[in-house]
PDB file of all heavy atoms in Angstrom:
ATOM      1  N   VAL N   1       5.081  14.987  -3.019  1.00  0.00           N
ATOM      2  CA  VAL N   1       4.477  13.804  -3.631  1.00  0.00           C
ATOM      3  C   VAL N   1       5.115  12.526  -3.087  1.00  0.00           C
ATOM      4  O   VAL N   1       4.418  11.562  -2.744  1.00  0.00           O
ATOM      5  CB  VAL N   1       4.585  13.873  -5.164  1.00  0.00           C
ATOM      6  CG1 VAL N   1       4.231  12.525  -5.795  1.00  0.00           C
ATOM      7  CG2 VAL N   1       3.649  14.955  -5.700  1.00  0.00           C
ATOM      8  N   ALA N   2       6.439  12.506  -2.967  1.00  0.00           N
ATOM      9  CA  ALA N   2       7.107  11.319  -2.420  1.00  0.00           C
ATOM     10  C   ALA N   2       6.676  11.065  -0.986  1.00  0.00           C
ATOM     11  O   ALA N   2       6.514   9.909  -0.573  1.00  0.00           O
ATOM     12  CB  ALA N   2       8.619  11.477  -2.499  1.00  0.00           C
ATOM     13  N   ILE N   3       6.469  12.134  -0.204  1.00  0.00           N
ATOM     14  CA  ILE N   3       6.023  11.959   1.175  1.00  0.00           C
ATOM     15  C   ILE N   3       4.604  11.423   1.223  1.00  0.00           C
ATOM     16  O   ILE N   3       4.280  10.543   2.029  1.00  0.00           O
ATOM     17  CB  ILE N   3       6.145  13.282   1.953  1.00  0.00           C
ATOM     18  CG1 ILE N   3       7.618  13.646   2.162  1.00  0.00           C
ATOM     19  CG2 ILE N   3       5.423  13.198   3.296  1.00  0.00           C
ATOM     20  CD1 ILE N   3       8.410  12.628   2.948  1.00  0.00           C
ATOM     21  N   ALA N   4       3.729  11.932   0.369  1.00  0.00           N
ATOM     22  CA  ALA N   4       2.350  11.420   0.337  1.00  0.00           C
ATOM     23  C   ALA N   4       2.336   9.935  -0.002  1.00  0.00           C
ATOM     24  O   ALA N   4       1.591   9.148   0.604  1.00  0.00           O
ATOM     25  CB  ALA N   4       1.524  12.208  -0.669  1.00  0.00           C
ATOM     26  N   LEU N   5       3.166   9.527  -0.978  1.00  0.00           N
ATOM     27  CA  LEU N   5       3.223   8.114  -1.348  1.00  0.00           C
ATOM     28  C   LEU N   5       3.850   7.270  -0.240  1.00  0.00           C
ATOM     29  O   LEU N   5       3.405   6.142   0.028  1.00  0.00           O
ATOM     30  CB  LEU N   5       4.009   7.955  -2.651  1.00  0.00           C
ATOM     31  CG  LEU N   5       3.359   8.551  -3.894  1.00  0.00           C
ATOM     32  CD1 LEU N   5       4.324   8.471  -5.077  1.00  0.00           C
ATOM     33  CD2 LEU N   5       2.048   7.842  -4.219  1.00  0.00           C
ATOM     34  N   THR N   6       4.881   7.795   0.401  1.00  0.00           N
ATOM     35  CA  THR N   6       5.526   7.069   1.495  1.00  0.00           C
ATOM     36  C   THR N   6       4.569   6.871   2.656  1.00  0.00           C
ATOM     37  O   THR N   6       4.509   5.787   3.257  1.00  0.00           O
ATOM     38  CB  THR N   6       6.780   7.824   1.962  1.00  0.00           C
ATOM     39  OG1 THR N   6       7.692   7.938   0.867  1.00  0.00           O
ATOM     40  CG2 THR N   6       7.465   7.108   3.109  1.00  0.00           C
ATOM     41  N   ARG N   7       3.809   7.914   2.982  1.00  0.00           N
ATOM     42  CA  ARG N   7       2.818   7.792   4.061  1.00  0.00           C
ATOM     43  C   ARG N   7       1.797   6.699   3.727  1.00  0.00           C
ATOM     44  O   ARG N   7       1.455   5.876   4.566  1.00  0.00           O
ATOM     45  CB  ARG N   7       2.110   9.133   4.274  1.00  0.00           C
ATOM     46  CG  ARG N   7       1.168   9.138   5.477  1.00  0.00           C
ATOM     47  CD  ARG N   7       0.501  10.492   5.679  1.00  0.00           C
ATOM     48  NE  ARG N   7      -0.095  10.553   7.013  1.00  0.00           N
ATOM     49  CZ  ARG N   7      -1.316  10.117   7.322  1.00  0.00           C
ATOM     50  NH1 ARG N   7      -2.071   9.591   6.363  1.00  0.00           N
ATOM     51  NH2 ARG N   7      -1.766  10.180   8.555  1.00  0.00           N
ATOM     52  N   ARG N   8       1.329   6.717   2.493  1.00  0.00           N
ATOM     53  CA  ARG N   8       0.366   5.700   2.056  1.00  0.00           C
ATOM     54  C   ARG N   8       0.953   4.298   2.168  1.00  0.00           C
ATOM     55  O   ARG N   8       0.286   3.361   2.623  1.00  0.00           O
ATOM     56  CB  ARG N   8      -0.046   6.003   0.619  1.00  0.00           C
ATOM     57  CG  ARG N   8      -0.912   4.952  -0.039  1.00  0.00           C
ATOM     58  CD  ARG N   8      -1.169   5.344  -1.474  1.00  0.00           C
ATOM     59  NE  ARG N   8      -1.814   4.261  -2.213  1.00  0.00           N
ATOM     60  CZ  ARG N   8      -2.050   4.292  -3.510  1.00  0.00           C
ATOM     61  NH1 ARG N   8      -1.706   5.349  -4.213  1.00  0.00           N
ATOM     62  NH2 ARG N   8      -2.623   3.277  -4.119  1.00  0.00           N
ATOM     63  N   LEU N   9       2.203   4.127   1.763  1.00  0.00           N
ATOM     64  CA  LEU N   9       2.826   2.817   1.820  1.00  0.00           C
ATOM     65  C   LEU N   9       3.035   2.339   3.250  1.00  0.00           C
ATOM     66  O   LEU N   9       2.692   1.197   3.601  1.00  0.00           O
ATOM     67  CB  LEU N   9       4.172   2.852   1.090  1.00  0.00           C
ATOM     68  CG  LEU N   9       4.129   2.869  -0.440  1.00  0.00           C
ATOM     69  CD1 LEU N   9       5.488   3.239  -1.005  1.00  0.00           C
ATOM     70  CD2 LEU N   9       3.666   1.516  -0.981  1.00  0.00           C
ATOM     71  N   LEU N  10       3.595   3.194   4.093  1.00  0.00           N
ATOM     72  CA  LEU N  10       3.909   2.759   5.460  1.00  0.00           C
ATOM     73  C   LEU N  10       2.652   2.394   6.240  1.00  0.00           C
ATOM     74  O   LEU N  10       2.617   1.370   6.936  1.00  0.00           O
ATOM     75  CB  LEU N  10       4.702   3.848   6.177  1.00  0.00           C
ATOM     76  CG  LEU N  10       6.173   3.951   5.769  1.00  0.00           C
ATOM     77  CD1 LEU N  10       6.796   5.226   6.326  1.00  0.00           C
ATOM     78  CD2 LEU N  10       6.950   2.737   6.266  1.00  0.00           C
ATOM     79  N   TRP N  11       1.618   3.230   6.144  1.00  0.00           N
ATOM     80  CA  TRP N  11       0.383   2.883   6.844  1.00  0.00           C
ATOM     81  C   TRP N  11      -0.300   1.683   6.195  1.00  0.00           C
ATOM     82  O   TRP N  11      -0.780   0.777   6.880  1.00  0.00           O
ATOM     83  CB  TRP N  11      -0.568   4.084   6.861  1.00  0.00           C
ATOM     84  CG  TRP N  11      -0.291   5.061   7.959  1.00  0.00           C
ATOM     85  CD1 TRP N  11       0.185   6.336   7.826  1.00  0.00           C
ATOM     86  CD2 TRP N  11      -0.472   4.848   9.364  1.00  0.00           C
ATOM     87  NE1 TRP N  11       0.307   6.928   9.059  1.00  0.00           N
ATOM     88  CE2 TRP N  11      -0.088   6.046  10.019  1.00  0.00           C
ATOM     89  CE3 TRP N  11      -0.916   3.774  10.126  1.00  0.00           C
ATOM     90  CZ2 TRP N  11      -0.150   6.189  11.406  1.00  0.00           C
ATOM     91  CZ3 TRP N  11      -0.975   3.912  11.509  1.00  0.00           C
ATOM     92  CH2 TRP N  11      -0.591   5.108  12.128  1.00  0.00           C
ATOM     93  N   GLY N  12      -0.340   1.663   4.868  1.00  0.00           N
ATOM     94  CA  GLY N  12      -1.042   0.588   4.180  1.00  0.00           C
ATOM     95  C   GLY N  12      -0.422  -0.776   4.405  1.00  0.00           C
ATOM     96  O   GLY N  12      -1.126  -1.790   4.473  1.00  0.00           O
ATOM     97  N   MET N  13       0.890  -0.836   4.554  1.00  0.00           N
ATOM     98  CA  MET N  13       1.557  -2.121   4.731  1.00  0.00           C
ATOM     99  C   MET N  13       1.311  -2.743   6.105  1.00  0.00           C
ATOM    100  O   MET N  13       1.689  -3.887   6.346  1.00  0.00           O
ATOM    101  CB  MET N  13       3.062  -1.969   4.495  1.00  0.00           C
ATOM    102  CG  MET N  13       3.433  -1.689   3.072  1.00  0.00           C
ATOM    103  SD  MET N  13       2.682  -2.834   1.891  1.00  0.00           S
ATOM    104  CE  MET N  13       2.035  -1.674   0.700  1.00  0.00           C
ATOM    105  N   GLN N  14       0.653  -2.005   7.003  1.00  0.00           N
ATOM    106  CA  GLN N  14       0.328  -2.581   8.304  1.00  0.00           C
ATOM    107  C   GLN N  14      -0.713  -3.703   8.205  1.00  0.00           C
ATOM    108  O   GLN N  14      -0.902  -4.455   9.151  1.00  0.00           O
ATOM    109  CB  GLN N  14      -0.189  -1.493   9.253  1.00  0.00           C
ATOM    110  CG  GLN N  14       0.790  -0.364   9.499  1.00  0.00           C
ATOM    111  CD  GLN N  14       2.137  -0.870   9.975  1.00  0.00           C
ATOM    112  OE1 GLN N  14       2.214  -1.523  11.008  1.00  0.00           O
ATOM    113  NE2 GLN N  14       3.180  -0.581   9.215  1.00  0.00           N
ATOM    114  N   SER N  15      -1.385  -3.785   7.075  1.00  0.00           N
ATOM    115  CA  SER N  15      -2.461  -4.778   6.970  1.00  0.00           C
ATOM    116  C   SER N  15      -2.237  -5.819   5.885  1.00  0.00           C
ATOM    117  O   SER N  15      -3.105  -6.657   5.659  1.00  0.00           O
ATOM    118  CB  SER N  15      -3.798  -4.063   6.697  1.00  0.00           C
ATOM    119  OG  SER N  15      -3.727  -3.324   5.485  1.00  0.00           O
ATOM    120  N   VAL N  16      -1.096  -5.790   5.214  1.00  0.00           N
ATOM    121  CA  VAL N  16      -0.878  -6.776   4.156  1.00  0.00           C
ATOM    122  C   VAL N  16      -0.294  -8.055   4.754  1.00  0.00           C
ATOM    123  O   VAL N  16       0.326  -8.032   5.816  1.00  0.00           O
ATOM    124  CB  VAL N  16       0.036  -6.229   3.046  1.00  0.00           C
ATOM    125  CG1 VAL N  16      -0.571  -4.979   2.425  1.00  0.00           C
ATOM    126  CG2 VAL N  16       1.438  -5.963   3.557  1.00  0.00           C
ATOM    127  N   PRO N  17      -0.478  -9.200   4.077  1.00  0.00           N
ATOM    128  CA  PRO N  17      -0.123 -10.474   4.702  1.00  0.00           C
ATOM    129  C   PRO N  17       1.352 -10.852   4.659  1.00  0.00           C
ATOM    130  O   PRO N  17       1.789 -11.704   5.438  1.00  0.00           O
ATOM    131  CB  PRO N  17      -0.959 -11.489   3.907  1.00  0.00           C
ATOM    132  CG  PRO N  17      -1.112 -10.852   2.555  1.00  0.00           C
ATOM    133  CD  PRO N  17      -1.227  -9.381   2.825  1.00  0.00           C
ATOM    134  N   ASP N  18       2.117 -10.246   3.743  1.00  0.00           N
ATOM    135  CA  ASP N  18       3.490 -10.721   3.586  1.00  0.00           C
ATOM    136  C   ASP N  18       4.340  -9.648   2.917  1.00  0.00           C
ATOM    137  O   ASP N  18       3.816  -8.699   2.328  1.00  0.00           O
ATOM    138  CB  ASP N  18       3.514 -12.013   2.747  1.00  0.00           C
ATOM    139  CG  ASP N  18       2.771 -11.848   1.436  1.00  0.00           C
ATOM    140  OD1 ASP N  18       3.090 -10.903   0.681  1.00  0.00           O
ATOM    141  OD2 ASP N  18       1.860 -12.658   1.164  1.00  0.00           O
ATOM    142  N   PRO N  19       5.680  -9.772   2.985  1.00  0.00           N
ATOM    143  CA  PRO N  19       6.555  -8.777   2.359  1.00  0.00           C
ATOM    144  C   PRO N  19       6.481  -8.768   0.846  1.00  0.00           C
ATOM    145  O   PRO N  19       6.833  -7.770   0.219  1.00  0.00           O
ATOM    146  CB  PRO N  19       7.950  -9.164   2.861  1.00  0.00           C
ATOM    147  CG  PRO N  19       7.852 -10.589   3.272  1.00  0.00           C
ATOM    148  CD  PRO N  19       6.454 -10.766   3.763  1.00  0.00           C
ATOM    149  N   GLU N  20       6.034  -9.853   0.247  1.00  0.00           N
ATOM    150  CA  GLU N  20       5.880  -9.876  -1.204  1.00  0.00           C
ATOM    151  C   GLU N  20       4.886  -8.799  -1.655  1.00  0.00           C
ATOM    152  O   GLU N  20       5.108  -8.104  -2.656  1.00  0.00           O
ATOM    153  CB  GLU N  20       5.397 -11.260  -1.662  1.00  0.00           C
ATOM    154  CG  GLU N  20       5.130 -11.381  -3.162  1.00  0.00           C
ATOM    155  CD  GLU N  20       6.402 -11.434  -3.988  1.00  0.00           C
ATOM    156  OE1 GLU N  20       7.478 -11.687  -3.417  1.00  0.00           O
ATOM    157  OE2 GLU N  20       6.306 -11.225  -5.210  1.00  0.00           O
ATOM    158  N   THR N  21       3.789  -8.671  -0.906  1.00  0.00           N
ATOM    159  CA  THR N  21       2.803  -7.651  -1.236  1.00  0.00           C
ATOM    160  C   THR N  21       3.420  -6.259  -1.117  1.00  0.00           C
ATOM    161  O   THR N  21       3.213  -5.397  -1.964  1.00  0.00           O
ATOM    162  CB  THR N  21       1.580  -7.769  -0.307  1.00  0.00           C
ATOM    163  OG1 THR N  21       1.061  -9.099  -0.384  1.00  0.00           O
ATOM    164  CG2 THR N  21       0.486  -6.787  -0.702  1.00  0.00           C
ATOM    165  N   ALA N  22       4.182  -6.051  -0.044  1.00  0.00           N
ATOM    166  CA  ALA N  22       4.865  -4.770   0.123  1.00  0.00           C
ATOM    167  C   ALA N  22       5.811  -4.510  -1.043  1.00  0.00           C
ATOM    168  O   ALA N  22       5.890  -3.393  -1.575  1.00  0.00           O
ATOM    169  CB  ALA N  22       5.621  -4.743   1.448  1.00  0.00           C
ATOM    170  N   HIS N  23       6.539  -5.533  -1.446  1.00  0.00           N
ATOM    171  CA  HIS N  23       7.489  -5.404  -2.549  1.00  0.00           C
ATOM    172  C   HIS N  23       6.793  -4.947  -3.829  1.00  0.00           C
ATOM    173  O   HIS N  23       7.287  -4.067  -4.552  1.00  0.00           O
ATOM    174  CB  HIS N  23       8.191  -6.740  -2.767  1.00  0.00           C
ATOM    175  CG  HIS N  23       8.969  -6.830  -4.039  1.00  0.00           C
ATOM    176  ND1 HIS N  23      10.079  -6.045  -4.292  1.00  0.00           N
ATOM    177  CD2 HIS N  23       8.787  -7.598  -5.145  1.00  0.00           C
ATOM    178  CE1 HIS N  23      10.554  -6.334  -5.495  1.00  0.00           C
ATOM    179  NE2 HIS N  23       9.798  -7.261  -6.030  1.00  0.00           N
ATOM    180  N   LEU N  24       5.632  -5.512  -4.114  1.00  0.00           N
ATOM    181  CA  LEU N  24       4.922  -5.166  -5.342  1.00  0.00           C
ATOM    182  C   LEU N  24       4.457  -3.716  -5.319  1.00  0.00           C
ATOM    183  O   LEU N  24       4.590  -2.981  -6.305  1.00  0.00           O
ATOM    184  CB  LEU N  24       3.734  -6.115  -5.545  1.00  0.00           C
ATOM    185  CG  LEU N  24       4.100  -7.572  -5.838  1.00  0.00           C
ATOM    186  CD1 LEU N  24       2.847  -8.439  -5.865  1.00  0.00           C
ATOM    187  CD2 LEU N  24       4.880  -7.700  -7.142  1.00  0.00           C
ATOM    188  N   HIS N  25       3.899  -3.281  -4.171  1.00  0.00           N
ATOM    189  CA  HIS N  25       3.426  -1.892  -4.072  1.00  0.00           C
ATOM    190  C   HIS N  25       4.604  -0.910  -4.061  1.00  0.00           C
ATOM    191  O   HIS N  25       4.535   0.158  -4.684  1.00  0.00           O
ATOM    192  CB  HIS N  25       2.559  -1.720  -2.832  1.00  0.00           C
ATOM    193  CG  HIS N  25       1.180  -2.279  -2.980  1.00  0.00           C
ATOM    194  ND1 HIS N  25       0.165  -1.595  -3.619  1.00  0.00           N
ATOM    195  CD2 HIS N  25       0.646  -3.463  -2.589  1.00  0.00           C
ATOM    196  CE1 HIS N  25      -0.941  -2.321  -3.615  1.00  0.00           C
ATOM    197  NE2 HIS N  25      -0.672  -3.459  -2.991  1.00  0.00           N
ATOM    198  N   GLU N  26       5.670  -1.256  -3.362  1.00  0.00           N
ATOM    199  CA  GLU N  26       6.850  -0.389  -3.378  1.00  0.00           C
ATOM    200  C   GLU N  26       7.423  -0.270  -4.786  1.00  0.00           C
ATOM    201  O   GLU N  26       7.868   0.806  -5.208  1.00  0.00           O
ATOM    202  CB  GLU N  26       7.915  -0.951  -2.434  1.00  0.00           C
ATOM    203  CG  GLU N  26       7.601  -0.789  -0.966  1.00  0.00           C
ATOM    204  CD  GLU N  26       8.633  -1.477  -0.089  1.00  0.00           C
ATOM    205  OE1 GLU N  26       9.606  -2.029  -0.647  1.00  0.00           O
ATOM    206  OE2 GLU N  26       8.459  -1.464   1.144  1.00  0.00           O
ATOM    207  N   SER N  27       7.431  -1.385  -5.521  1.00  0.00           N
ATOM    208  CA  SER N  27       7.994  -1.365  -6.874  1.00  0.00           C
ATOM    209  C   SER N  27       7.202  -0.435  -7.783  1.00  0.00           C
ATOM    210  O   SER N  27       7.780   0.293  -8.604  1.00  0.00           O
ATOM    211  CB  SER N  27       8.018  -2.783  -7.451  1.00  0.00           C
ATOM    212  OG  SER N  27       8.895  -3.611  -6.707  1.00  0.00           O
ATOM    213  N   ARG N  28       5.868  -0.454  -7.657  1.00  0.00           N
ATOM    214  CA  ARG N  28       5.054   0.457  -8.471  1.00  0.00           C
ATOM    215  C   ARG N  28       5.381   1.911  -8.142  1.00  0.00           C
ATOM    216  O   ARG N  28       5.509   2.753  -9.041  1.00  0.00           O
ATOM    217  CB  ARG N  28       3.571   0.178  -8.236  1.00  0.00           C
ATOM    218  CG  ARG N  28       3.081  -1.176  -8.741  1.00  0.00           C
ATOM    219  CD  ARG N  28       1.579  -1.302  -8.589  1.00  0.00           C
ATOM    220  NE  ARG N  28       1.097  -2.627  -8.952  1.00  0.00           N
ATOM    221  CZ  ARG N  28       0.701  -3.542  -8.067  1.00  0.00           C
ATOM    222  NH1 ARG N  28       0.753  -3.277  -6.775  1.00  0.00           N
ATOM    223  NH2 ARG N  28       0.277  -4.725  -8.478  1.00  0.00           N
ATOM    224  N   ALA N  29       5.481   2.209  -6.836  1.00  0.00           N
ATOM    225  CA  ALA N  29       5.785   3.581  -6.429  1.00  0.00           C
ATOM    226  C   ALA N  29       7.180   3.997  -6.887  1.00  0.00           C
ATOM    227  O   ALA N  29       7.396   5.115  -7.368  1.00  0.00           O
ATOM    228  CB  ALA N  29       5.651   3.714  -4.912  1.00  0.00           C
ATOM    229  N   LEU N  30       8.143   3.084  -6.754  1.00  0.00           N
ATOM    230  CA  LEU N  30       9.502   3.387  -7.197  1.00  0.00           C
ATOM    231  C   LEU N  30       9.574   3.561  -8.717  1.00  0.00           C
ATOM    232  O   LEU N  30      10.316   4.410  -9.221  1.00  0.00           O
ATOM    233  CB  LEU N  30      10.445   2.263  -6.758  1.00  0.00           C
ATOM    234  CG  LEU N  30      10.902   2.301  -5.304  1.00  0.00           C
ATOM    235  CD1 LEU N  30      11.519   0.965  -4.903  1.00  0.00           C
ATOM    236  CD2 LEU N  30      11.910   3.426  -5.092  1.00  0.00           C
ATOM    237  N   HIS N  31       8.818   2.751  -9.449  1.00  0.00           N
ATOM    238  CA  HIS N  31       8.797   2.866 -10.905  1.00  0.00           C
ATOM    239  C   HIS N  31       8.325   4.249 -11.317  1.00  0.00           C
ATOM    240  O   HIS N  31       8.882   4.882 -12.221  1.00  0.00           O
ATOM    241  CB  HIS N  31       7.889   1.784 -11.498  1.00  0.00           C
ATOM    242  CG  HIS N  31       7.864   1.756 -12.990  1.00  0.00           C
ATOM    243  ND1 HIS N  31       6.971   2.517 -13.736  1.00  0.00           N
ATOM    244  CD2 HIS N  31       8.625   1.084 -13.892  1.00  0.00           C
ATOM    245  CE1 HIS N  31       7.179   2.299 -15.019  1.00  0.00           C
ATOM    246  NE2 HIS N  31       8.175   1.437 -15.142  1.00  0.00           N
ATOM    247  N   TRP N  32       7.288   4.743 -10.633  1.00  0.00           N
ATOM    248  CA  TRP N  32       6.759   6.063 -10.987  1.00  0.00           C
ATOM    249  C   TRP N  32       7.686   7.182 -10.518  1.00  0.00           C
ATOM    250  O   TRP N  32       8.047   8.066 -11.303  1.00  0.00           O
ATOM    251  CB  TRP N  32       5.364   6.251 -10.378  1.00  0.00           C
ATOM    252  CG  TRP N  32       4.714   7.506 -10.866  1.00  0.00           C
ATOM    253  CD1 TRP N  32       3.928   7.642 -11.974  1.00  0.00           C
ATOM    254  CD2 TRP N  32       4.836   8.808 -10.296  1.00  0.00           C
ATOM    255  NE1 TRP N  32       3.539   8.954 -12.131  1.00  0.00           N
ATOM    256  CE2 TRP N  32       4.084   9.694 -11.101  1.00  0.00           C
ATOM    257  CE3 TRP N  32       5.496   9.317  -9.182  1.00  0.00           C
ATOM    258  CZ2 TRP N  32       3.983  11.060 -10.840  1.00  0.00           C
ATOM    259  CZ3 TRP N  32       5.394  10.684  -8.904  1.00  0.00           C
ATOM    260  CH2 TRP N  32       4.655  11.537  -9.721  1.00  0.00           C
TER     261      TRP N  32
END
């Protein structure tokens, strides 16, 4: 499960505009 989420994050962050967006998505994944 952690690998599936990590894969989603790493690929998905290739298209976000700034690290703030990455921070928010990472925080949700880390919270869970």
Side-chain angles (χ1 to χ4, degrees):
V1 168
I3 291 300
L5 293 173
T6 300
R7 186 179 195 274
R8 173 183 171 186
L9 285 166
L10 284 169
W11 277 112
M13 291 310 131
Q14 301 306 301
S15 60
V16 301
D18 52 54
E20 177 74 16
T21 305
H23 168 65
L24 293 174
H25 284 279
E26 287 175 3
S27 295
R28 293 186 185 106
L30 280 165
H31 184 271
W32 188 89

